[in-house]
Amino acid sequence: MIRIGVDANGGDLGVAATVPASLKALSLYDDIEITLFGDEHKIKPFLTTNERIKIVDTKVTMDMGEHDPINAVRKKKDSSLCMAMYAAKNGEVDAVVTSGPTQCVVMASHLIIKRLPQMDRVALCPIIPNYDGKPRLVLDVGANVELKKEHFGEFALFSTIAAKEVFGMENPKVGLLNIGSEPGKGREIDKEAYEYLKNIPNINFYGNVEPNEVINCPTEIVVCDGFTGNICIKTLEGTAKGMGEMLKDEIKSSIGGKIGYLFMRKNLKKFKKRMDSKEVGGAMIFGIGKPVVKAHGNSDSYAFTSAITQVYKMVKSDLINKVVASLDVKEA
Amino acid sequence: MIRIGVDANGGDLGVAATVPASLKALSLYDDIEITLFGDEHKIKPFLTTNERIKIVDTKVTMDMGEHDPINAVRKKKDSSLCMAMYAAKNGEVDAVVTSGPTQCVVMASHLIIKRLPQMDRVALCPIIPNYDGKPRLVLDVGANVELKKEHFGEFALFSTIAAKEVFGMENPKVGLLNIGSEPGKGREIDKEAYEYLKNIPNINFYGNVEPNEVINCPTEIVVCDGFTGNICIKTLEGTAKGMGEMLKDEIKSSIGGKIGYLFMRKNLKKFKKRMDSKEVGGAMIFGIGKPVVKAHGNSDSYAFTSAITQVYKMVKSDLINKVVASLDVKEA
């Protein structure tokens, strides 16, 4: 049995998303057991079965507005997020899914589950929907503002194994996010990372990837420091959202637009779905001792089910042990 | 008379865009004189008048694929781009417009026209179309991969004056592009730049701006180092383009979509126009002795006319002397 800890209180919708998603996951995979960490009183009305699912009661939630994530993780040990993390640390669950605040999830992973001794840094790795319908792994997007070249190497290796084991990608290519396609572009660290990645065995290094390629990406994996990655994915999210709103505005602005909408409603829905991260799961925390997936804060039940599926595959594929074995070989 | 030098050979369309745009600008502004630097043989068929317009003949063009811009600028002194820059340096024209390769334009500005003694760095400042229809100034987006805090200050001051003088913005707000809204976010340099900008007189510092806000921006100006800015605007461009293509794909994929398109054609055109940089001109090169505007490489005649208008306003408002006066006061 694969035992998954769900932070049931987390996210904008809380139990209304996390509990139905957990029930859905139970129906999809018969080798799953779920522990819901959350407010029992609120969870109960959504619960239609007690089979393979149990509740650890806590009313405390990690707020989205926490400005000091380290302090929040230290103080709110009884929050649903931290309790799920402690259960993972103590071996009571095999993995954690949460739609809690990103920096708190990164910090709780770090401080509670702890970093793998083979990894110097922890990375946040979201899945970016692409033009061709295939997901891309981008890391780090916010766990570290600055990195050394060796960290780019660790992240490239970790994500290569994850891309193969969790997403079934064959020989995934690794790109370095940079401001030009040729070698020698970017800051000193980007030049160093390029040379370093070029010479690592067991990864398929492609070279630089420019930010305008990220949604139509020539590589399955894009590595970068957390500052650069955060700038890139936040710009991508903001632009996609803003364009969606502008399109809606323009359509609504005339009768022709409204009539046209009736005809192409299905097309526009498909368009929206293509850019929707709900389809592909959440961001993975790489570098710690247990699989953790951070779903989007506004995840509905459908998106949260994708995130549970993702963490389920991370456990089932024995991802972390495979990474550890690979890093041990590298260091030996 | 305002004398504008036009790099007529530059850009994907060359004289087919630059010459009609120059004629249009002459008809719009009766205090303009234009010198076309380019292939006379190719220019002539487009030329309908000789009034206030002359040609300096050169067949040499700066290629888009130049990998070594410094070398290209040094060797191709007879290129239309460099000849326009030399004319500006020698006082034969007051400003330059080009849709040549970005890094060559930055380098030629630097090496030929030269930096203002009051400025330590040169910045590339494009205009970003926004959700509310108003332009935003973002700088630097590629002239410097790394900056010191004082350079953020120079750029903030330069762009504040440009926003007022060229775009008629009143008391424009300056934001710092960063990965979080609170002070204390980002790398060491971002924290230093925040504190520095907070304490500069003559700018209206707003605080951090997150990348997802750039197309719906709370500030008129966004400052950043050239690496970060380049990541941001390339992601924005790539996402906007990719989404446009996806939308087209989905509309074409069914009869309903095609019928719907007939009804909302106008709406979709307006949608496209809202995100189109053709409306707002090109990127300004700040920090050198003469106004230079770099239009998009794929500029058509309409877009290139906007770029000429922009540089015309930069000369007419006496932008550079105003900046110099302001920087001299600061240093005095």
Side-chain angles (χ1 to χ4, degrees):
Chain A
M1 278 291 172
I2 289 171
R3 301 162 306 160
I4 294 174
V6 167
D7 166 12
N9 290 349
D12 300 345
L13 301 176
V15 295
T18 57
V19 182
S22 299
L23 296 172
K24 178 73 185 171
L26 288 175
S27 75
L28 289 173
Y29 310 105
D30 54 17
D31 56 346
I32 277 187
E33 276 175 12
I34 287 178
T35 305
L36 298 168
F37 296 84
D39 187 339
E40 186 163 18
H41 186 71
K42 289 183 184 161
I43 290 171
K44 279 272 170 79
F46 290 95
L47 219 56
T48 52
T49 175
N50 291 313
E51 216 178 307
R52 294 188 282 135
I53 191 161
K54 63 184 176 190
I55 303 170
V56 175
D57 187 34
T58 177
K59 290 191 172 36
V60 184
T61 306
M62 201 64 89
D63 297 326
M64 295 310 266
E66 296 288 358
H67 287 311
D68 183 350
I70 298 181
N71 199 38
V73 168
R74 283 193 180 134
K75 287 209 167 156
K76 285 189 164 182
K77 289 194 168 62
D78 55 348
S79 63
S80 53
L81 171 62
C82 290
M83 286 178 80
M85 294 284 185
Y86 280 109
K89 174 201 158 86
N90 298 332
E92 293 149 25
V93 298
D94 302 312
V96 172
V97 190
T98 173
S99 40
T102 307
Q103 288 306 324
C104 290
V105 176
V106 171
M107 272 308 146
S109 302
H110 228 304
L111 297 173
I112 300 169
I113 300 184
K114 308 272 190 215
R115 199 159 36 76
L116 289 166
Q118 293 84 354
M119 293 279 289
D120 285 328
R121 296 291 181 101
V122 166
L124 183 65
C125 178
I127 311 299
I128 307 291
N130 248 246
Y131 191 70
D132 62 8
K134 290 175 193 157
R136 301 298 195 278
L137 282 69
V138 181
L139 74 166
D140 172 33
V141 305
N144 314 270
V145 289
E146 276 161 305
L147 291 177
K148 291 186 181 152
K149 62 180 192 289
E150 295 81 5
H151 305 141
F152 285 85
E154 284 180 357
F155 293 170
L157 197 64
F158 206 121
S159 54
T160 293
I161 300 174
K164 288 179 188 169
E165 300 294 337
V166 182
F167 296 92
M169 295 169 180
E170 273 179 52
N171 198 22
K173 294 185 284 298
V174 176
L176 175 66
L177 188 63
N178 205 341
I179 57 171
S181 55
E182 310 89 30
K185 284 282 180 179
R187 304 159 301 181
E188 272 317 305
I189 179 63
D190 305 305
K191 295 173 195 170
E192 287 173 21
Y194 188 100
E195 289 306 313
Y196 189 81
L197 290 168
K198 212 174 71 178
N199 295 309
I200 297 183
N202 302 326
I203 71 158
N204 181 9
F205 185 54
Y206 167 88
N208 290 329
V209 164
E210 290 194 81
N212 49 338
E213 299 177 307
V214 167
I215 73 153
N216 191 14
C217 194
T219 65
E220 287 77 13
I221 296 164
V222 177
V223 291
C224 47
D225 66 79
F227 183 86
T228 306
N230 198 279
I231 294 282
C232 179
I233 65 143
K234 277 191 185 152
T235 307
L236 195 154
E237 279 177 8
T239 309
K241 189 169 169 244
M243 284 188 72
E245 279 169 20
M246 276 188 240
L247 180 61
K248 223 189 281 173
D249 272 9
E250 292 300 345
I251 290 174
K252 279 186 187 160
S253 72
S254 79
I255 303 273
K258 285 176 194 161
I259 296 173
Y261 176 74
L262 295 176
F263 283 99
M264 62 162 77
R265 202 167 34 191
K266 275 189 194 160
N267 310 65
L268 292 174
K269 274 196 182 147
K270 268 167 70 192
F271 166 67
K272 203 178 158 200
K273 208 170 164 179
R274 270 172 81 167
M275 283 305 290
D276 197 341
S277 56
K278 278 178 190 151
E279 302 295 317
V280 282
M284 297 170 284
I285 319 287
F286 285 158
I288 51 168
K290 291 282 158 78
V292 171
V293 168
K294 146 76 185 129
H296 217 285
N298 67 7
S299 291
D300 58 14
S301 164
Y302 185 81
F304 203 79
T305 307
S306 301
I308 299 176
T309 294
Q310 194 180 348
V311 91
Y312 164 76
K313 287 184 185 168
M314 290 170 79
V315 180
K316 185 138 179 158
S317 66
D318 202 19
L319 173 64
I320 292 185
N321 285 328
K322 283 178 181 158
V323 170
V324 166
S326 173
L327 289 167
D328 281 341
V329 166
K330 198 185 130 214
E331 280 170 16
Chain B
M1 278 291 171
I2 289 170
R3 301 161 305 159
I4 293 174
V6 168
D7 166 13
N9 290 348
D12 300 345
L13 300 176
V15 295
T18 56
V19 182
S22 299
L23 297 172
K24 178 73 187 172
L26 290 174
S27 75
L28 289 173
Y29 310 105
D30 54 17
D31 56 347
I32 277 187
E33 275 175 10
I34 286 178
T35 306
L36 297 169
F37 296 84
D39 187 339
E40 186 162 19
H41 186 71
K42 289 184 182 161
I43 290 171
K44 279 270 169 80
F46 290 95
L47 218 56
T48 52
T49 175
N50 291 315
E51 217 177 304
R52 294 189 281 136
I53 191 160
K54 62 182 176 190
I55 302 171
V56 175
D57 187 33
T58 176
K59 289 188 174 39
V60 183
T61 306
M62 201 63 90
D63 297 323
M64 294 309 264
E66 297 288 357
H67 286 312
D68 183 351
I70 297 180
N71 198 39
V73 168
R74 285 194 178 133
K75 288 210 166 156
K76 286 188 162 183
K77 290 194 168 61
D78 55 349
S79 63
S80 53
L81 171 63
C82 289
M83 286 178 79
M85 294 284 184
Y86 279 109
K89 174 199 159 84
N90 299 332
E92 293 149 26
V93 298
D94 302 311
V96 173
V97 190
T98 172
S99 41
T102 307
Q103 286 307 323
C104 291
V105 176
V106 172
M107 274 305 146
S109 303
H110 228 303
L111 297 173
I112 300 169
I113 300 183
K114 309 271 190 215
R115 201 159 34 77
L116 290 165
Q118 293 84 353
M119 292 280 291
D120 285 328
R121 295 292 182 100
V122 166
L124 183 64
C125 177
I127 311 299
I128 306 291
N130 247 246
Y131 191 71
D132 60 10
K134 292 176 192 154
R136 301 298 195 280
L137 282 69
V138 180
L139 74 165
D140 173 33
V141 306
N144 315 270
V145 290
E146 276 161 304
L147 291 177
K148 291 184 182 155
K149 62 180 190 291
E150 294 82 6
H151 305 141
F152 285 85
E154 284 180 358
F155 294 170
L157 198 64
F158 206 120
S159 55
T160 292
I161 300 173
K164 287 179 188 168
E165 300 294 336
V166 182
F167 297 92
M169 296 170 179
E170 273 180 52
N171 197 21
K173 293 184 286 297
V174 176
L176 173 67
L177 187 61
N178 204 341
I179 58 170
S181 55
E182 309 89 30
K185 284 281 178 179
R187 303 159 301 181
E188 272 318 305
I189 179 62
D190 306 304
K191 295 173 197 172
E192 286 173 21
Y194 188 101
E195 288 306 312
Y196 189 80
L197 290 169
K198 212 173 70 177
N199 295 310
I200 298 183
N202 302 327
I203 71 159
N204 181 9
F205 185 55
Y206 167 86
N208 290 328
V209 165
E210 290 194 79
N212 50 337
E213 298 176 307
V214 168
I215 72 155
N216 191 14
C217 195
T219 65
E220 287 77 13
I221 296 164
V222 177
V223 291
C224 46
D225 66 79
F227 183 87
T228 305
N230 197 278
I231 294 281
C232 179
I233 64 142
K234 278 192 184 153
T235 306
L236 196 153
E237 279 177 9
T239 308
K241 189 168 168 243
M243 284 188 72
E245 280 169 19
M246 277 188 240
L247 180 62
K248 223 189 280 172
D249 271 10
E250 292 299 346
I251 290 174
K252 280 186 186 160
S253 72
S254 79
I255 302 273
K258 285 175 193 163
I259 297 173
Y261 176 75
L262 295 176
F263 283 99
M264 61 162 78
R265 203 169 32 194
K266 276 189 195 161
N267 310 67
L268 292 175
K269 272 193 184 149
K270 269 169 69 191
F271 166 66
K272 205 180 156 198
K273 209 170 162 178
R274 271 172 81 167
M275 283 305 289
D276 198 342
S277 55
K278 277 177 191 152
E279 302 297 317
V280 282
M284 297 169 285
I285 319 287
F286 285 157
I288 52 167
K290 292 280 158 80
V292 172
V293 168
K294 147 74 187 129
H296 217 284
N298 68 7
S299 290
D300 58 14
S301 164
Y302 185 81
F304 204 79
T305 308
S306 301
I308 299 177
T309 295
Q310 193 180 349
V311 93
Y312 165 77
K313 287 185 185 168
M314 289 169 80
V315 179
K316 185 139 182 157
S317 66
D318 201 20
L319 173 65
I320 291 184
N321 285 329
K322 283 180 181 157
V323 170
V324 166
S326 173
L327 288 166
D328 281 341
V329 166
K330 199 186 130 213
E331 279 168 17

